[in-house]
Amino acid sequence: MTAAKPESLPIVDLTPGPDAGQRIAAEIGRAAREVGFFFVTGHGIPATLIEEVFSESARFFALPEAAKLKQSIRHSPHNRGYVAMQGESLDPSQPADLKEAFNIGLDLAADDPRVVAGEPFRGVNLWPEIAGWRDTMLTYFDAVWSVGRRLHRGVAIDLGLAPDHFEDKLDQPMATLRLLHYPPQPSSAAAGQIGAGAHTDYGDVTLLLTDEVGGLEVQTRAGDWITVPPMPGTFVCNIGDCLMRWTNDVYVSTPHRVVNGGSDRYSVAFFLDPNPDASIACLPTCVTDERPARYAPTTGATYLADRLARTYDFLDKAADA
């Protein structure tokens, strides 16, 4: 594995002010076309809420394995619940990832018509029996969802669209709040086995919070790997494959990975995927005679289902059964 070197990412400051909309759009557009990763400051989410999310995440991962498996993602067809250690392979060419995770989606009741109808990615969340845990996670889910929508206003402005262009495509999203725990790198790890294999994210944008333990590495356009320094309380944001597809490759999604170190690492990722029925077709402002549409139209749900099937081995096996 190629060693990474430290390098800074661009910063997008969401602090309101005169001409903030145009400034934010320009900052997002520049970063999205170049490295595909940037820091986000001025997001307005209270530090106390962020600290509580990290504390509650660690509280869950400290449970006995049997207790965590009661909420196993294997019980959910909707990408919800606990993913055990080595339960997925983000880089199929390498051994399974050395991490565990917990996925939370848009919170719907069991009698919600969309759940009853069996619509794709419309299921109930799986909750551990920890007092206050659900409320904390849903409060944070709503807060970071709002930040993601603000970023999309900047995206729309940068691409010459109405500022609210994406709003009706993100008002009932297939968003996933993912809690992550990376243990120290074990001596028994196989060659090439790390916390998260090299991959690009599936959705529109990812908003990631990390603790003070490093490990995130990003691949530059030149093919070099760089380390992203931890900045607690500040988001690391990256463009996902769905938004790259929407923009006809004007924006770029970027390979990245996580390398385990000598201590436990916790992070909190929010993957903002569009509504299931959103039409993912190349945006008109991103198509020209010189740059014709590179992708056939699809829907948010169809696209996400295809990408997830490549990641979870048990989904592949279920499809073959």
Side-chain angles (χ1 to χ4, degrees):
M1 186 172 66
T2 306
K5 57 185 180 180
E7 188 172 318
S8 184
L9 298 177
I11 297 175
V12 174
D13 183 0
L14 297 184
T15 302
D19 301 320
Q22 291 295 335
R23 173 185 57 77
I24 291 168
E27 291 172 354
I28 291 173
R30 188 178 309 112
R33 288 171 172 81
E34 295 175 358
V35 67
F37 264 79
F38 50 93
F39 289 115
V40 174
T41 63
H43 51 74
I45 297 181
T48 51
L49 176 57
I50 291 173
E51 291 167 3
E52 188 174 1
V53 169
F54 272 100
S55 176
E56 292 300 296
S57 173
R59 189 178 173 195
F60 171 78
F61 288 123
L63 292 174
E65 189 71 6
K68 291 183 286 190
L69 287 173
K70 290 180 180 179
Q71 287 83 41
S72 172
I73 197 169
R74 295 173 181 263
H75 303 321
S76 170
H78 304 288
N79 196 36
R80 308 284 203 270
Y82 174 63
V83 180
M85 197 71 66
Q86 302 187 60
E88 65 182 28
S89 298
L90 290 175
D91 181 352
S93 70
Q94 297 296 332
D97 297 343
L98 293 171
K99 68 173 185 295
E100 56 183 341
F102 193 96
N103 292 356
I104 300 164
L106 192 69
D107 200 44
L108 302 176
D111 61 356
D112 185 289
R114 294 166 292 182
V115 175
V116 174
E119 292 183 13
F121 301 104
R122 293 308 194 203
V124 297
N125 282 313
L126 307 180
W127 297 109
E129 295 178 0
I130 303 175
W133 206 86
R134 176 178 180 272
D135 290 344
T136 296
M137 296 307 165
L138 290 182
T139 298
Y140 179 75
F141 185 105
D142 288 345
V144 72
W145 177 15
S146 177
V147 174
R149 289 157 82 169
R150 287 165 61 193
L151 287 174
H152 274 79
R153 291 183 68 84
V155 168
I157 293 170
D158 175 65
L159 297 175
L161 303 166
D164 63 351
H165 175 83
F166 292 101
E167 190 61 25
D168 64 352
K169 303 162 186 65
L170 297 169
D171 56 0
Q172 294 293 313
M174 298 177 296
T176 300
L177 171 58
R178 170 166 255 212
L179 314 175
L180 291 148
H181 169 228
Y182 299 86
Q185 182 76 359
S187 58
S188 60
Q193 190 171 32
I194 58 175
H199 65 285
T200 54
D201 289 344
Y202 311 151
D204 273 17
V205 297
T206 301
L207 286 157
L208 175 73
L209 291 174
T210 69
D211 61 11
E212 69 282 356
V213 179
L216 176 63
E217 299 181 353
V218 171
Q219 191 174 45
T220 68
R221 294 288 162 262
D224 299 321
W225 287 97
I226 61 173
T227 62
V228 178
M231 293 180 65
T234 298
F235 286 112
V236 179
C237 182
N238 62 281
I239 303 303
D241 296 340
C242 186
L243 188 55
M244 184 172 78
R245 186 183 182 114
W246 236 334
T247 65
N248 203 28
D249 292 352
V250 171
Y251 285 6
V252 290
S253 62
T254 301
H256 52 286
R257 66 192 183 191
V258 177
V259 178
N260 302 55
S263 58
D264 290 283
R265 177 183 186 267
Y266 296 88
S267 64
V268 180
F270 183 78
F271 302 96
L272 185 50
D273 292 76
N275 296 355
D277 60 354
S279 174
I280 312 301
C282 295
L283 296 166
T285 57
C286 298
V287 177
T288 65
D289 291 341
E290 296 74 26
R291 193 187 190 92
R294 301 178 180 183
Y295 304 100
T298 185
T299 65
T302 299
Y303 184 71
L304 181 58
D306 176 67
R307 295 303 305 272
L308 288 173
R310 305 179 202 177
T311 299
Y312 292 112
D313 59 349
F314 65 87
L315 288 180
D316 291 336
K317 291 174 182 175
D320 293 337

